[in-house]
Amino acid sequence: MFEKTSSTNDVIEKLAHDGVKEGVVVFAEAQTKGRGRLGRKWISPARKGLWFSVLLRPDLRPQEATQLTVASATALARAIKAETGLSPEIKWPNDILIGGKKVAGILTEMSAELDRVKQIILGIGVDVNLTAAEFPPELRKQATSLRIETGKPVSRPDLAARILSELDRDYARICDGKFEALADEWEAGCATIGREVTIQIGGRRVRGTAEALDEDGALLLRTEHGHLERISGGDVTLEK
Ligand code: BTN
């Protein structure tokens, strides 16, 4: 546990380099260089959220790593629901939304050989007790916190414990080859399936209907031209 660090993902990366075992978790009360997906900044004010990272060394092929992304989103949504009574939705691959606004996100950083994952760092950020004024103005329309949604402060230690135990359970399911059951739960809680979406993948933009998840957790998109395309990463905008 750190009072302040640059990014908990960086701390874990150093520990991983030094050879620590999987399962290590690092929390920080504040991050000065919190990172989001796609090079975005992640604001991490002191004692307002849960900012933490977990080191995993799963026995998976690199293309199966999306399974872990799906598992962590499912675990996170389940934990938030259990602790707050709110009804979170998942936006593929791993944003957690409440009432259409983002409340938590996961940054998955992987290092792999050609056919085997070496390590995965799961960086989890949950906006727990921020007030609206504590979000930068440009984020206020699209981001929220558990406190804003429930109308009262939420216990960070209780939520942290619940997230870690749910994550532990879903990680075991993946390691036991039981991804299918997890994928069904993910699809049921997912705001993306059945929706018209636009996906930005690097410099390319595709539009279509999100139809399903495949067995590795990739999104199957029926494009506006009628093809079925398999998407394993990108930035999704939900249309309509
Ligand atoms: C996203 O939705 O873009 C992912 C956000 C992930 C933020 C967490 S906070 C803890 C960990 N350390 C970081 O620098 N980022 C992740």
Side-chain angles (χ1 to χ4, degrees):
M1 161 67 104
F2 286 74
E3 193 53 39
K4 192 190 258 184
T5 186
S6 54
S7 156
T8 53
N9 271 38
D10 294 343
V11 177
I12 286 275
E13 199 172 340
K14 286 199 194 91
L15 292 173
H17 185 77
D18 295 343
V20 298
K21 281 206 230 129
E22 74 165 351
V24 171
V25 184
V26 169
F27 282 86
E29 288 291 16
Q31 298 183 117
T32 52
K33 283 194 184 144
R35 302 197 288 278
R37 290 177 64 232
L38 310 166
R40 296 186 183 125
K41 208 173 130 189
W42 183 264
I43 64 143
S44 322
R47 292 171 215 287
K48 296 289 174 177
L50 289 176
W51 329 123
F52 68 100
S53 304
V54 184
L55 174 66
L56 299 172
R57 300 189 196 274
D59 186 18
L60 293 176
R61 290 175 292 132
Q63 61 269 38
E64 291 168 331
T66 325
Q67 292 189 6
L68 214 73
T69 303
V70 170
S72 40
T74 313
L76 192 50
R78 209 187 300 120
I80 290 175
K81 184 171 187 180
E83 286 298 311
T84 63
L86 295 166
S87 300
E89 288 184 315
I90 301 168
K91 191 182 93 168
W92 187 88
N94 52 8
D95 283 354
I96 308 296
L97 311 183
I98 294 176
K101 291 181 165 187
K102 180 158 167 171
V103 75
I106 304 168
L107 175 68
T108 313
E109 294 182 321
M110 166 169 81
S111 81
E113 285 163 5
L114 215 52
D115 58 348
R116 276 288 141 215
V117 169
K118 274 170 61 187
Q119 71 188 37
I120 288 183
I121 300 173
L122 280 184
I124 299 183
V126 188
D127 290 326
V128 183
N129 285 328
L130 287 86
T131 58
E134 284 162 334
F135 285 101
E138 67 277 13
L139 289 184
R140 275 178 213 155
K141 272 210 189 96
Q142 66 213 52
T144 189
S145 74
L146 299 177
R147 179 182 180 158
I148 295 171
E149 297 300 320
T150 55
K152 54 179 194 289
V154 170
S155 160
R156 292 184 305 137
D158 289 355
L159 181 61
R162 179 73 74 138
I163 294 172
L164 290 176
S165 81
E166 296 293 346
L167 204 54
D168 201 44
R169 185 176 135 199
D170 281 353
Y171 185 53
R173 280 159 96 180
I174 289 185
C175 295
D176 292 347
K178 294 193 182 122
F179 178 66
E180 230 165 83
L182 201 65
D184 290 348
E185 186 181 337
W186 183 92
E187 280 197 39
C190 181
T192 311
I193 302 296
R195 297 278 296 268
E196 300 280 311
V197 296
T198 301
I199 309 183
Q200 187 76 35
I201 311 158
R204 195 165 75 97
R205 183 187 281 258
V206 276
R207 275 185 72 113
T209 309
E211 284 203 344
L213 273 190
D214 79 357
E215 68 278 6
D216 287 333
L219 188 69
L220 299 176
L221 182 79
R222 180 71 61 188
T223 68
E224 52 191 343
H225 309 295
H227 307 297
L228 197 60
E229 197 167 323
R230 181 181 184 277
I231 315 274
S232 58
D235 196 28
V236 174
T237 309
L238 301 174
E239 309 291 342
K240 290 188 248 175

